[in-house]
Amino acid sequence: MSGQSTPVAPSAPPPPPAGRPPKVTNRGRTTVPVDSSNSETSDFPEVEYFGLPGPRGFPPLTGFLDISGVDMVKNPDEKNKVEHHTALFQSDKLIVRRGQEFQVKITFNRAYKPAEDKFAVEFVIGSSPQYSKGTYIPVFPTKERQSSWEGRIVNTADNTITMGITPKVDCVVGKYHMYVAVLTPFGVRRTVRDDSRDLYILFNPWVKDDSVFLDDEQEREECVMNEVGIIYHGAYDDIAERDWNYGQFNYGVLDACLYIMDRSEMPITNRGDPIKVTRKASAMLNSRDDEGVLVGNWSGDYTYGVSPTSWTGSTEILLTYASSKMPVCYAQCWVYAAVFNTFLRCLGIPSRVITNYFSAHDNDGNLKMDIILDDNGRIDRNRTRDSIWNYHCWNECFMSRPDLPPGFGGWQIVDATPQETSDGMYRCGPASVNAIKHGHICFPFDAAFVFAEVNSDVVFYSRSKDGTMEPVKVNRTHVGRLVLTKTPGAMTRRDITDQYKFPEGTTEERTVLEKAEEYGCHRDKSNPEVADVDLTLPTLEISVGDDFEMNLEFVNRSDERRTVDMYISGTVVYYTGVTTSEFLFRDPTVEIGPNKTVNELITVESKRYLKYLVEQANLHFIATGKIRETGQIVTAMKVVALRNPKLMVEVSATGKVNEEMVAKVQFTNPFSFSLENVYVRMEGPGLMAPKFKYYGVILGGLSLTWSEFFVPQRPGETRVIATLDCAALRQVSGQATVTITA
Amino acid sequence: MSGQSTPVAPSAPPPPPAGRPPKVTNRGRTTVPVDSSNSETSDFPEVEYFGLPGPRGFPPLTGFLDISGVDMVKNPDEKNKVEHHTALFQSDKLIVRRGQEFQVKITFNRAYKPAEDKFAVEFVIGSSPQYSKGTYIPVFPTKERQSSWEGRIVNTADNTITMGITPKVDCVVGKYHMYVAVLTPFGVRRTVRDDSRDLYILFNPWVKDDSVFLDDEQEREECVMNEVGIIYHGAYDDIAERDWNYGQFNYGVLDACLYIMDRSEMPITNRGDPIKVTRKASAMLNSRDDEGVLVGNWSGDYTYGVSPTSWTGSTEILLTYASSKMPVCYAQCWVYAAVFNTFLRCLGIPSRVITNYFSAHDNDGNLKMDIILDDNGRIDRNRTRDSIWNYHCWNECFMSRPDLPPGFGGWQIVDATPQETSDGMYRCGPASVNAIKHGHICFPFDAAFVFAEVNSDVVFYSRSKDGTMEPVKVNRTHVGRLVLTKTPGAMTRRDITDQYKFPEGTTEERTVLEKAEEYGCHRDKSNPEVADVDLTLPTLEISVGDDFEMNLEFVNRSDERRTVDMYISGTVVYYTGVTTSEFLFRDPTVEIGPNKTVNELITVESKRYLKYLVEQANLHFIATGKIRETGQIVTAMKVVALRNPKLMVEVSATGKVNEEMVAKVQFTNPFSFSLENVYVRMEGPGLMAPKFKYYGVILGGLSLTWSEFFVPQRPGETRVIATLDCAALRQVSGQATVTITA
């Protein structure tokens, strides 16, 4: 008997390919791999005999009822697509919504005899269809025999019957194959697989029992059917907007959305549940963790992709992802939100894009954003680590929440922008808007995180020499200043701040914050005495390249003279609030008589800030100081979102389907310097696919004109949307409205 | 002005390295990268001047108080480690628990003068320490000046002071650096960085305000301090057990646990919150998604690693991961649970390993496990996809849940075994045990999933020819049959089933299930009529290699004669319930007179099953059939966990610290055939590090003996634990208890 002793801890064997041990290691783990692909399918046998062959083998299954044809009734103008609100989809397949009857016509080799003929229409989805899992569904024409999907014969004419089929209201959403099976005493005979009989089943906001039911026709028209959107950005007191083509009905977009779920390996059986679908999608829309759709890039360098500010719509992004099967470059928050919006509307989940002004971020349920001053009252940029986004975009989608107690259904926040912290993964939501408003942040998913985005306090600390810090001012109204979305049925904006929070200073607001704290949110309790000198910065509307003046108004509310040592700093910031270069610094000493007002005027020359501009050209002014007499701290902040030159888009106000039209885009370089490597993009829902033009250089003061011919595909009011983008000038857009008649 | 038009959709640029865009793309995204490493550190300057240099430059900071030495009072027998329950750690660093005072001795160059001398003891953790984030903490000796950590001078002798320091009760858990800083009028002077002054701060179950406070000394002794554990497996009616060495105090284990959090890039600031720590760890313990600690393998082929059944403890696994920085092969559920248990106890979070018998799995909040019979009543293995684990192991850890409403603190379920579905990531929990018991599955994390593991129904369907299925029998008591853990302070088992569910059939139980359904769990509502023939299979205690008989007892409760066409199938199953080969099949017809009992005897010869045995040698018998007279379905199931031969471990009952002893492991091959490639492993907490021996072959009937010398390191009762493992025979273990005196 041999045996040799050895010191232990064998060197670790080679690890499996990142995060994915070879499937074989699961052999004893599960009976079958989980079915997580809508594209993989298993064909059904044409003939299935019952029992064992008799002495003479199997009898032929002829002489029974036979199918000679199936009509899916799938033309856009036919009953199915009209009644199911799917006529706009550019697809040659039947697309219907669950919980609502659709009709197919089946033609037999002879008249159908209800008494003796037995047949079933079968629907299958995924690679291992199972009746008990709802991925294999036979539908019967007779009252006596019914499965989970209801079937009935609507009409019989000669050899053709019209069959009405109602998919279960909570059935799996995706692409199904359809078969017709005739049941004989000896076995089952089936139609052969035929792609033209495939059909898509979507969520149904029009049906009461669907978990995405939305009982408001105008909201449905906007949040499911509308392809044209507006996304708000800029500053809360100087709002900017841009159009977006969601294009949820464009050719290939629906397949791309199903591919996203396949790519995420989401189990087929979960795909009827909007909670699971939206949560999974919020992770898949960004490329972190899971090779998702969009690569985030906030660096200012977009050489190897499309600049986030340059996109005009979602379709280009989704189709590229589906065809290349690689993440698309690049995105920032509004691109994530816009593409997510397309995904949701395409599948039939009502959704809208939200903009939250002054959004607290990455602070993981902590309700404090810290700004640190040295003990002279000057901001300490090295120690100030938190940033407040000038604005942040996310989505709301509408659904019931059976997983929560009553009262938290309705609009739910989902956010696909990769966050540093959301339960350890780059995804967020769905979180009930109503739960956020009432501070019930104990419910899934990520409610505490979203609550902080709209409710954090800005705390100014004074840091003393020994490293400790005292809070000297708390601003409880800065964050979550304004929440906007597009008005249903109009091209105007809608203030929905009151859906997120009670008015500042009300009892309800205080109660909500207390409740949130019970659930572990940390707030700063200190209540430092308010300085008796008020400082306000004006709201300015400035265009890129303007020189301007900024007037600081000091009001002394005390009966004594006050002397304030001020530090006024102007920096260029990303929309994320991250500062780059300081282009202005002043440290005046301001003397204010008792109950007097003093104005301090500061001149800002464009040449000082122009060379530092990044991204969307935001100037951030922060004025802090200390009152000599009292040691109190005085602070004020202001973000100036510089206005970009407009892109002129011209198109004749009306047009006809299939009659050629022309769109004209014009732009003049307002600067003395030239713009280089300029991309101009243009597209229009129902008008033209995304197009772009590249201009190597646009000399200072010169103009460009781009005329593009296009042919409208369908009637209705729509828009031509255009953007211009280059390193020196981002977020330039324009649009024109056109009404197309049939 | 040049410009050329181009069709759009540029080919997608190369994607970023999987899921991780280059950090630069975040430049404008956050001010600083999130601090997520406890190993990276930023050294503090030795001298920090205040303000700007004067005309003659900076004054020298000499002539002030100076530090000549620091004593961390870190010997195992000294006050700190004794009072903080950390004396067992094999470490030369100071290890303390938060919310409780520890002491350090500081020696100055002269006597300390409280009136004029100013100094602070500074603690820093991570690479970007910030006061406001709790990662930089100065501690002051004076009442007037206090930071978040309390400091006081306990004693002064000559030039040496003893300072008492109490870390905040919710402070970050991990490894801190300590500095002593003297404050002069001109600046700060610091001790140089010195690793010997590093200290670890852990969770503190002994202190009332710590969120992991556990008010039961015996539970604390077991769930924090005990290194020896018992893990239960086998079958609910024939329980087997094995010992495990958690080894949470072994040299290097604490560092390995901190490395796991670093590897997961968990933000330092989250590491004081046991909810976030346990959730993150449940993801990191398995290698899916995130290159975590253990690679799961259920294939039966463990050639490239250590077989899951072969491990004797956690330390070998953790140390290998920390040194190789690669996932360790291989694990199954009890290995995940045992290593997770080490992680939790090491950091000071009370925890225990749980075994749930007949655990429903991978069915994502759906409360049904489907077994499908053809219309003769014979099981249809192709269509039966769900599997019920004979047992499944997870962990419970003890903590308050401030993120939930009152009443859901206490024991929380966490599970590191990769699940097919847990919110889309391979992790699970923490889920409140109390929430599971009362059906409040709306609260995070993964409560619905765990609820299904202990509450699912087994539904037998009869599948008719046309593909539809009728439920014919529902077994509501099979799943979650028994929940076990080790008894605190004893080597016996403890039934805690009543902590997970109310007794079967009580009103409370029904109410709970209804509540769970309100939150979206799906149950089978059908209540098929119960057959009037009862069938029971006996409980058997069989050893591997035995021939045995199985007696099926049929009881006819009706007043008429009954004829049952039975199908009796015996298969070999993994502990996951996945079946491999059918080694036995019978289809007797059983005639039972009115109100009579009939016994059907089935002989099982070992040669039939031996060659098919996998893993832990479980035989699964399922008997199904149809009553001719009534068409009712009769079913019964039984798992027989074959008993393995024992490994004999011998060691003298008592020993002395530092006096050599010998442990003897003996095994006899009970089979006629030889066992090949056999590994025998042995270790003992406080006795010996893991060791193994390899035997190329053990001929049938032959024995092996392995004697190993070892030197006990500390007093107390402990065990020598040994396993034997080879492809033909797994889960063979043995142990011996020994009491070591000082």
Side-chain angles (χ1 to χ4, degrees), chain B residues 496-515:
Chain B
I496 57 168
T497 316
D498 64 346
Q499 297 185 16
Y500 280 79
K501 32 184 7 185
F502 289 99
E504 304 281 1
T506 58
T507 353
E508 292 88 343
E509 188 213 10
R510 207 162 31 254
T511 328
V512 165
L513 287 165
E514 281 156 11
K515 166 145 311 297

PDB file of all heavy atoms in Angstrom, chain B residues 496-515:
ATOM      1  N   ILE B 496     -34.722  23.869  13.777  1.00  0.00           N
ATOM      2  CA  ILE B 496     -35.240  25.243  13.800  1.00  0.00           C
ATOM      3  C   ILE B 496     -36.308  25.450  12.724  1.00  0.00           C
ATOM      4  O   ILE B 496     -36.557  26.575  12.285  1.00  0.00           O
ATOM      5  CB  ILE B 496     -34.105  26.277  13.624  1.00  0.00           C
ATOM      6  CG1 ILE B 496     -33.342  26.028  12.323  1.00  0.00           C
ATOM      7  CG2 ILE B 496     -33.169  26.256  14.808  1.00  0.00           C
ATOM      8  CD1 ILE B 496     -32.409  27.181  11.952  1.00  0.00           C
ATOM      9  N   THR B 497     -36.935  24.344  12.312  1.00  0.00           N
ATOM     10  CA  THR B 497     -37.982  24.448  11.288  1.00  0.00           C
ATOM     11  C   THR B 497     -39.040  25.476  11.688  1.00  0.00           C
ATOM     12  O   THR B 497     -39.525  26.246  10.867  1.00  0.00           O
ATOM     13  CB  THR B 497     -38.658  23.076  11.074  1.00  0.00           C
ATOM     14  OG1 THR B 497     -37.660  22.069  11.007  1.00  0.00           O
ATOM     15  CG2 THR B 497     -39.477  23.060   9.791  1.00  0.00           C
ATOM     16  N   ASP B 498     -39.337  25.519  12.992  1.00  0.00           N
ATOM     17  CA  ASP B 498     -40.420  26.411  13.449  1.00  0.00           C
ATOM     18  C   ASP B 498     -40.026  27.888  13.335  1.00  0.00           C
ATOM     19  O   ASP B 498     -40.874  28.770  13.470  1.00  0.00           O
ATOM     20  CB  ASP B 498     -40.820  26.080  14.891  1.00  0.00           C
ATOM     21  CG  ASP B 498     -39.666  26.331  15.862  1.00  0.00           C
ATOM     22  OD1 ASP B 498     -38.521  26.488  15.372  1.00  0.00           O
ATOM     23  OD2 ASP B 498     -39.908  26.364  17.080  1.00  0.00           O
ATOM     24  N   GLN B 499     -38.753  28.180  13.098  1.00  0.00           N
ATOM     25  CA  GLN B 499     -38.371  29.576  12.882  1.00  0.00           C
ATOM     26  C   GLN B 499     -38.650  30.003  11.441  1.00  0.00           C
ATOM     27  O   GLN B 499     -38.659  31.180  11.124  1.00  0.00           O
ATOM     28  CB  GLN B 499     -36.895  29.788  13.228  1.00  0.00           C
ATOM     29  CG  GLN B 499     -36.598  29.512  14.691  1.00  0.00           C
ATOM     30  CD  GLN B 499     -35.168  29.838  15.064  1.00  0.00           C
ATOM     31  OE1 GLN B 499     -34.468  30.538  14.333  1.00  0.00           O
ATOM     32  NE2 GLN B 499     -34.730  29.331  16.206  1.00  0.00           N
ATOM     33  N   TYR B 500     -38.854  29.002  10.556  1.00  0.00           N
ATOM     34  CA  TYR B 500     -39.100  29.291   9.134  1.00  0.00           C
ATOM     35  C   TYR B 500     -40.566  29.183   8.760  1.00  0.00           C
ATOM     36  O   TYR B 500     -41.020  29.839   7.833  1.00  0.00           O
ATOM     37  CB  TYR B 500     -38.285  28.346   8.253  1.00  0.00           C
ATOM     38  CG  TYR B 500     -36.840  28.755   8.107  1.00  0.00           C
ATOM     39  CD1 TYR B 500     -35.917  28.486   9.104  1.00  0.00           C
ATOM     40  CD2 TYR B 500     -36.413  29.430   6.976  1.00  0.00           C
ATOM     41  CE1 TYR B 500     -34.592  28.881   8.966  1.00  0.00           C
ATOM     42  CE2 TYR B 500     -35.091  29.827   6.829  1.00  0.00           C
ATOM     43  CZ  TYR B 500     -34.193  29.548   7.830  1.00  0.00           C
ATOM     44  OH  TYR B 500     -32.876  29.944   7.704  1.00  0.00           O
ATOM     45  N   LYS B 501     -41.323  28.316   9.444  1.00  0.00           N
ATOM     46  CA  LYS B 501     -42.727  28.122   9.069  1.00  0.00           C
ATOM     47  C   LYS B 501     -43.552  27.705  10.274  1.00  0.00           C
ATOM     48  O   LYS B 501     -43.029  27.100  11.205  1.00  0.00           O
ATOM     49  CB  LYS B 501     -42.835  27.092   7.945  1.00  0.00           C
ATOM     50  CG  LYS B 501     -41.764  26.055   8.038  1.00  0.00           C
ATOM     51  CD  LYS B 501     -41.659  25.003   6.964  1.00  0.00           C
ATOM     52  CE  LYS B 501     -42.466  25.002   5.729  1.00  0.00           C
ATOM     53  NZ  LYS B 501     -42.183  23.752   4.962  1.00  0.00           N
ATOM     54  N   PHE B 502     -44.833  28.044  10.187  1.00  0.00           N
ATOM     55  CA  PHE B 502     -45.769  27.566  11.202  1.00  0.00           C
ATOM     56  C   PHE B 502     -46.085  26.107  10.912  1.00  0.00           C
ATOM     57  O   PHE B 502     -45.933  25.655   9.775  1.00  0.00           O
ATOM     58  CB  PHE B 502     -47.044  28.410  11.179  1.00  0.00           C
ATOM     59  CG  PHE B 502     -46.854  29.803  11.697  1.00  0.00           C
ATOM     60  CD1 PHE B 502     -46.680  30.863  10.821  1.00  0.00           C
ATOM     61  CD2 PHE B 502     -46.826  30.063  13.072  1.00  0.00           C
ATOM     62  CE1 PHE B 502     -46.490  32.162  11.295  1.00  0.00           C
ATOM     63  CE2 PHE B 502     -46.639  31.350  13.541  1.00  0.00           C
ATOM     64  CZ  PHE B 502     -46.468  32.392  12.658  1.00  0.00           C
ATOM     65  N   PRO B 503     -46.538  25.361  11.933  1.00  0.00           N
ATOM     66  CA  PRO B 503     -46.821  23.931  11.716  1.00  0.00           C
ATOM     67  C   PRO B 503     -47.764  23.715  10.537  1.00  0.00           C
ATOM     68  O   PRO B 503     -48.697  24.498  10.320  1.00  0.00           O
ATOM     69  CB  PRO B 503     -47.492  23.517  13.032  1.00  0.00           C
ATOM     70  CG  PRO B 503     -46.969  24.479  14.051  1.00  0.00           C
ATOM     71  CD  PRO B 503     -46.787  25.772  13.321  1.00  0.00           C
ATOM     72  N   GLU B 504     -47.505  22.671   9.733  1.00  0.00           N
ATOM     73  CA  GLU B 504     -48.354  22.356   8.579  1.00  0.00           C
ATOM     74  C   GLU B 504     -49.810  22.260   9.030  1.00  0.00           C
ATOM     75  O   GLU B 504     -50.097  21.705  10.097  1.00  0.00           O
ATOM     76  CB  GLU B 504     -47.928  21.015   7.968  1.00  0.00           C
ATOM     77  CG  GLU B 504     -46.477  20.934   7.569  1.00  0.00           C
ATOM     78  CD  GLU B 504     -46.160  21.625   6.239  1.00  0.00           C
ATOM     79  OE1 GLU B 504     -47.088  22.200   5.617  1.00  0.00           O
ATOM     80  OE2 GLU B 504     -44.994  21.612   5.850  1.00  0.00           O
ATOM     81  N   GLY B 505     -50.701  22.846   8.246  1.00  0.00           N
ATOM     82  CA  GLY B 505     -52.121  22.675   8.492  1.00  0.00           C
ATOM     83  C   GLY B 505     -52.722  23.670   9.467  1.00  0.00           C
ATOM     84  O   GLY B 505     -53.934  23.744   9.629  1.00  0.00           O
ATOM     85  N   THR B 506     -51.895  24.484  10.132  1.00  0.00           N
ATOM     86  CA  THR B 506     -52.456  25.466  11.060  1.00  0.00           C
ATOM     87  C   THR B 506     -53.020  26.659  10.285  1.00  0.00           C
ATOM     88  O   THR B 506     -52.685  26.871   9.115  1.00  0.00           O
ATOM     89  CB  THR B 506     -51.365  26.007  12.021  1.00  0.00           C
ATOM     90  OG1 THR B 506     -50.327  26.583  11.227  1.00  0.00           O
ATOM     91  CG2 THR B 506     -50.779  24.874  12.852  1.00  0.00           C
ATOM     92  N   THR B 507     -53.860  27.432  10.969  1.00  0.00           N
ATOM     93  CA  THR B 507     -54.428  28.632  10.324  1.00  0.00           C
ATOM     94  C   THR B 507     -53.306  29.602   9.974  1.00  0.00           C
ATOM     95  O   THR B 507     -53.290  30.173   8.899  1.00  0.00           O
ATOM     96  CB  THR B 507     -55.395  29.366  11.293  1.00  0.00           C
ATOM     97  OG1 THR B 507     -55.565  28.562  12.441  1.00  0.00           O
ATOM     98  CG2 THR B 507     -56.722  29.636  10.630  1.00  0.00           C
ATOM     99  N   GLU B 508     -52.353  29.767  10.928  1.00  0.00           N
ATOM    100  CA  GLU B 508     -51.242  30.686  10.660  1.00  0.00           C
ATOM    101  C   GLU B 508     -50.576  30.318   9.336  1.00  0.00           C
ATOM    102  O   GLU B 508     -50.310  31.174   8.504  1.00  0.00           O
ATOM    103  CB  GLU B 508     -50.191  30.629  11.780  1.00  0.00           C
ATOM    104  CG  GLU B 508     -50.645  31.174  13.112  1.00  0.00           C
ATOM    105  CD  GLU B 508     -51.327  30.122  13.968  1.00  0.00           C
ATOM    106  OE1 GLU B 508     -51.738  29.076  13.406  1.00  0.00           O
ATOM    107  OE2 GLU B 508     -51.438  30.355  15.184  1.00  0.00           O
ATOM    108  N   GLU B 509     -50.315  29.020   9.145  1.00  0.00           N
ATOM    109  CA  GLU B 509     -49.618  28.615   7.933  1.00  0.00           C
ATOM    110  C   GLU B 509     -50.406  29.059   6.706  1.00  0.00           C
ATOM    111  O   GLU B 509     -49.862  29.646   5.783  1.00  0.00           O
ATOM    112  CB  GLU B 509     -49.439  27.092   7.897  1.00  0.00           C
ATOM    113  CG  GLU B 509     -48.546  26.629   6.743  1.00  0.00           C
ATOM    114  CD  GLU B 509     -48.967  25.280   6.187  1.00  0.00           C
ATOM    115  OE1 GLU B 509     -50.046  24.788   6.564  1.00  0.00           O
ATOM    116  OE2 GLU B 509     -48.212  24.744   5.362  1.00  0.00           O
ATOM    117  N   ARG B 510     -51.741  28.816   6.737  1.00  0.00           N
ATOM    118  CA  ARG B 510     -52.560  29.186   5.582  1.00  0.00           C
ATOM    119  C   ARG B 510     -52.477  30.696   5.358  1.00  0.00           C
ATOM    120  O   ARG B 510     -52.251  31.166   4.251  1.00  0.00           O
ATOM    121  CB  ARG B 510     -54.008  28.723   5.804  1.00  0.00           C
ATOM    122  CG  ARG B 510     -54.759  28.463   4.518  1.00  0.00           C
ATOM    123  CD  ARG B 510     -56.016  27.612   4.707  1.00  0.00           C
ATOM    124  NE  ARG B 510     -56.652  27.798   6.002  1.00  0.00           N
ATOM    125  CZ  ARG B 510     -56.585  26.893   6.985  1.00  0.00           C
ATOM    126  NH1 ARG B 510     -55.889  25.773   6.801  1.00  0.00           N
ATOM    127  NH2 ARG B 510     -57.198  27.104   8.126  1.00  0.00           N
ATOM    128  N   THR B 511     -52.610  31.456   6.437  1.00  0.00           N
ATOM    129  CA  THR B 511     -52.563  32.926   6.317  1.00  0.00           C
ATOM    130  C   THR B 511     -51.253  33.373   5.673  1.00  0.00           C
ATOM    131  O   THR B 511     -51.239  34.222   4.787  1.00  0.00           O
ATOM    132  CB  THR B 511     -52.659  33.569   7.723  1.00  0.00           C
ATOM    133  OG1 THR B 511     -53.464  32.729   8.542  1.00  0.00           O
ATOM    134  CG2 THR B 511     -53.244  34.955   7.638  1.00  0.00           C
ATOM    135  N   VAL B 512     -50.161  32.776   6.138  1.00  0.00           N
ATOM    136  CA  VAL B 512     -48.848  33.157   5.614  1.00  0.00           C
ATOM    137  C   VAL B 512     -48.774  32.914   4.107  1.00  0.00           C
ATOM    138  O   VAL B 512     -48.341  33.774   3.343  1.00  0.00           O
ATOM    139  CB  VAL B 512     -47.725  32.380   6.342  1.00  0.00           C
ATOM    140  CG1 VAL B 512     -46.418  32.487   5.592  1.00  0.00           C
ATOM    141  CG2 VAL B 512     -47.585  32.885   7.765  1.00  0.00           C
ATOM    142  N   LEU B 513     -49.261  31.742   3.686  1.00  0.00           N
ATOM    143  CA  LEU B 513     -49.209  31.430   2.254  1.00  0.00           C
ATOM    144  C   LEU B 513     -50.064  32.415   1.458  1.00  0.00           C
ATOM    145  O   LEU B 513     -49.683  32.861   0.377  1.00  0.00           O
ATOM    146  CB  LEU B 513     -49.669  29.992   2.012  1.00  0.00           C
ATOM    147  CG  LEU B 513     -48.658  28.931   2.442  1.00  0.00           C
ATOM    148  CD1 LEU B 513     -49.292  27.560   2.517  1.00  0.00           C
ATOM    149  CD2 LEU B 513     -47.465  28.907   1.484  1.00  0.00           C
ATOM    150  N   GLU B 514     -51.209  32.790   2.025  1.00  0.00           N
ATOM    151  CA  GLU B 514     -52.050  33.769   1.325  1.00  0.00           C
ATOM    152  C   GLU B 514     -51.324  35.110   1.216  1.00  0.00           C
ATOM    153  O   GLU B 514     -51.293  35.734   0.163  1.00  0.00           O
ATOM    154  CB  GLU B 514     -53.383  33.943   2.060  1.00  0.00           C
ATOM    155  CG  GLU B 514     -54.364  32.811   1.754  1.00  0.00           C
ATOM    156  CD  GLU B 514     -55.402  32.636   2.855  1.00  0.00           C
ATOM    157  OE1 GLU B 514     -55.487  33.517   3.731  1.00  0.00           O
ATOM    158  OE2 GLU B 514     -56.101  31.609   2.838  1.00  0.00           O
ATOM    159  N   LYS B 515     -50.687  35.528   2.311  1.00  0.00           N
ATOM    160  CA  LYS B 515     -49.940  36.797   2.276  1.00  0.00           C
ATOM    161  C   LYS B 515     -48.851  36.739   1.201  1.00  0.00           C
ATOM    162  O   LYS B 515     -48.690  37.646   0.405  1.00  0.00           O
ATOM    163  CB  LYS B 515     -49.347  37.106   3.651  1.00  0.00           C
ATOM    164  CG  LYS B 515     -48.313  38.179   3.621  1.00  0.00           C
ATOM    165  CD  LYS B 515     -48.263  39.109   4.819  1.00  0.00           C
ATOM    166  CE  LYS B 515     -49.515  39.735   5.322  1.00  0.00           C
ATOM    167  NZ  LYS B 515     -50.210  40.636   4.407  1.00  0.00           N
TER     168      LYS B 515
END
